[in-house]
Amino acid sequence: MQLQSEDVRIRVLNALHWDYAVPRNRLKVEVENGWVTMSGQVDLPYQISSAESDARNVPGVVGVINRISLASNEPKKAPVS
């Protein structure tokens, strides 16, 4: 029995909630037919792999499309006039 997409989404969000290494409030999770698409920005590379691992371990997940990127650590420069 395949779980409904919203049920899987809630389970993925719950898994991310309990992983303190992942800044869950900066990630977006969408689910379609068991495929999880994750997007957003994190500060450190291991946070990307941690979030993906969390999602892959959720029952009902068929696969993960990881579109999470690293936030730029460079300060924004003021325009030159």
Side-chain angles (χ1 to χ4, degrees):
M1 177 178 115
Q2 186 174 9
L3 296 173
Q4 296 294 326
S5 292
E6 186 60 21
D7 292 338
V8 173
R9 182 177 172 276
I10 290 169
R11 290 179 185 206
V12 170
L13 290 171
N14 190 43
L16 294 173
H17 174 78
W18 290 104
D19 186 346
Y20 295 114
V22 178
R24 58 202 167 270
N25 58 334
R26 295 168 56 187
L27 299 181
K28 181 177 177 184
V29 175
E30 297 175 358
V31 179
E32 186 173 336
N33 297 323
W35 279 89
V36 176
T37 302
M38 302 174 74
S39 59
Q41 290 188 335
V42 296
D43 297 318
L44 301 167
Y46 80 90
Q47 294 171 321
I48 295 172
S49 57
S50 292
E52 182 173 339
S53 177
D54 292 341
R56 286 190 186 279
N57 289 319
V58 170
V61 171
V62 174
V64 176
I65 300 168
N66 191 336
R67 295 187 177 146
I68 301 170
S69 62
L70 288 176
S72 174
N73 291 335
E74 296 179 24
K76 293 185 180 182
K77 297 179 181 178
V80 177
S81 45

